[in-house]
Amino acid sequence: MEMSKHQKQLFNTPKLPKFEYFRKNCEVKEIETELQKDIKKIFQKIDSMIPKINFFHIHNTTSAQRSISALKNPLQNYCVGDHLIVQVETFDFLDNKKSYGGDFLMARIHSPEIKASASGRIEDFGNGTYHIHFKLFWEGTVKVSILLIHPSEGVSALWRARNKGYGYAAYTGYFNFGGKEAKTKCGFDLNKTEELCEFSDPKEEEYFYCVKPANMPCGSLTSMSSPFVDSHSYLSDMEKKLFNSSNIRVQIPNSFGVLSVSSCGGNSQQLERKCTPGRKYQFPGGYFYQNMWYHLSCNISRYRSMVNINKCIKGRMLYLIGDSTMLQWMKYITSTATNLKPLDLHGTHWCKTLLSVDTEQNIKIQWRKHANPFIFLGFHSFKEEFTISHQIDKIGGDSYTVIAFTLGMHFRLFPIEHFIRRAINIRQATERLLLRSPDTKVIIKTENTSAMSERVEMLSDFHGYLQYMILNYLFKDLNVAIVDAWDMTIAFASNNIHPPEEVIANEIDLFLSYIC
């Protein structure tokens, strides 16, 4: 897809140092770098979409139970392939019609008896009215489920809280030098009055610090811990009430029952198109039927056996980069293709680098974490980790090379600019890779929906949704492939940061269909 003039200006910009200064009238002024300008543009774009609401009582916020959904232009008979629109009217707890939008909704249709489901696309009119757009993909009895995840007042509070600071995680660095050990406070934003060690990348404008231990060099930092700070909150006491479990993922009642969908004489046709990178993004992008994911743009092959996986990845080098949800891919592939033998690279905890090989079939598959921020209670390697963009830059690439990455969950605790910066840097590294090696396959796995049973302020799916939109925006015109785990997990209603194997198997099916 041809890039617009604005997109070219947004993405094809040189990297500059964090600050440039000039002196005028004895004053030092800061000049924004091009990367900082790009971050600001995207931030402002998102900020303009978020409602800014002050409320004075929980009764003045959106109530799922008081709201109602109804069929828009209902039909007597529904056929496979029909489009269905459900209109949602939102009310507060006092039965007052809401006059503004911004509620965070999720919607799906499902037929449990045949294990079929699909996501719905939400249209917000900004006045308390929403249209939920569905396509009927299968015949049978279909149920409609629309959930109020957070009211617009909660969305406003989460947005403000997220961008207020770095208090949700407590970083501690472990230093080891000459038989001495020390642990000091670390973070992205520390008090500069203390003597600090800086662990930064000016090229990518990534900055991180630790308090320097006495009589120990900065280079003796070996590992890092970063547990949650559950006592920390940027929300007021009244705002916190919006995030009680009883107010999250609440079903909006509908004025209609189940729908009966018939084939109406239509013939479902198997898509003949191969799954290839660069196809236009759409939501929803597919649906489950008998727990199998069917893509709307291409024909997915199934890779549920060692024989099929080996046939696909023979001779290939697979680099999987990300968090524990990408680690699920690694474990699924290596547990199914048992010919892949692990090499012990040492390290501690589950987040250590994993490598498996098959020397006879010349297969290499590696998982590596995406680097700080990486929220983890224990101490894990810090000096050996690299950002996704750095890892991509270190791979030459060719027709046998596959890079898959995911990014999101660990960033939910930090101001959105942090995620935007990292995503832009990955975008630029991907551009460089595809210039030097256009045959390299790059696959992005979007993040999953999660349980949201605790730490909602830090880890809400609302934060994930914003990051999902940013990734889709930044990579929409590149020759990369998307495994839309966000779409899949909404449709499946897994509600778990680590989806069940049924979902992982379908993600792998699509991933390998892009390769083979």
Side-chain angles (χ1 to χ4, degrees), residues 42-78:
I42 295 176
F43 178 89
Q44 290 173 342
K45 183 180 179 68
I46 298 171
D47 185 61
S48 67
M49 300 164 53
I50 308 295
K52 311 298 188 299
I53 302 169
N54 293 316
F55 67 101
F56 303 99
H57 197 280
I58 192 75
H59 289 166
N60 302 122
T61 66
T62 309
S63 165
Q65 296 93 337
R66 305 280 181 171
S67 301
I68 191 70
S69 63
L71 295 176
K72 180 78 171 173
N73 302 321
L75 302 175
Q76 269 195 322
N77 300 298
Y78 287 95

Side-chain angles (χ1 to χ4, degrees), residues 75 77-85 109 118 133-140 142 260-269 287 296:
L75 302 175
N77 300 298
Y78 287 95
C79 301
V80 172
D82 283 348
H83 290 266
L84 181 74
I85 299 177
I109 51 174
H133 299 264
F134 298 102
K135 186 174 181 180
L136 303 175
F137 295 109
W138 60 87
E139 62 179 312
V142 175
S260 180
V261 181
S262 304
S263 64
C264 300
N267 295 319
S268 59
Q269 296 182 348
Y287 63 95
L296 299 186

Side-chain angles (χ1 to χ4, degrees), residues 5 19 192 199 265 295 323 345-346 349 360 381 407 411:
K5 180 179 179 182
F19 297 120
K192 303 300 191 296
F199 305 97
H295 203 284
D323 54 30
L345 301 179
H346 305 293
H349 307 298
E360 291 186 5
S381 171
L407 190 74
F411 285 77

Side-chain angles (χ1 to χ4, degrees), residues 71 78-86 106-121 132-147 251 254 256-259 261 284 286-289 293 487-488 490-493:
L71 295 176
Y78 287 95
C79 301
V80 172
D82 283 348
H83 290 266
L84 181 74
I85 299 177
V86 178
M106 285 186 186
R108 64 192 286 258
I109 51 174
H110 56 111
S111 300
E113 65 281 0
I114 56 174
K115 300 177 181 178
S117 56
S119 304
R121 179 177 62 84
I132 318 297
H133 299 264
F134 298 102
K135 186 174 181 180
L136 303 175
F137 295 109
W138 60 87
E139 62 179 312
T141 300
V142 175
K143 300 177 181 179
V144 175
S145 173
I146 301 171
L147 302 179
Q251 184 86 32
N254 60 46
F256 56 93
V258 297
L259 303 176
V261 181
Y287 63 95
F288 282 105
Y289 186 79
W293 182 256
D487 187 5
M488 289 184 180
I490 289 177
F492 197 85

Side-chain angles (χ1 to χ4, degrees), residues 288-324:
F288 282 105
Y289 186 79
Q290 296 292 354
N291 271 356
M292 293 288 189
W293 182 256
Y294 291 87
H295 203 284
L296 299 186
S297 298
C298 64
N299 180 32
I300 297 178
S301 300
R302 306 299 168 185
Y303 296 92
R304 308 296 175 92
S305 69
M306 181 172 71
V307 172
N308 287 342
I309 290 177
N310 281 335
K311 185 178 178 181
C312 176
I313 65 175
K314 182 177 180 180
R316 298 186 186 275
M317 310 292 128
L318 277 61
Y319 299 89
L320 310 182
I321 312 170
D323 54 30
S324 57

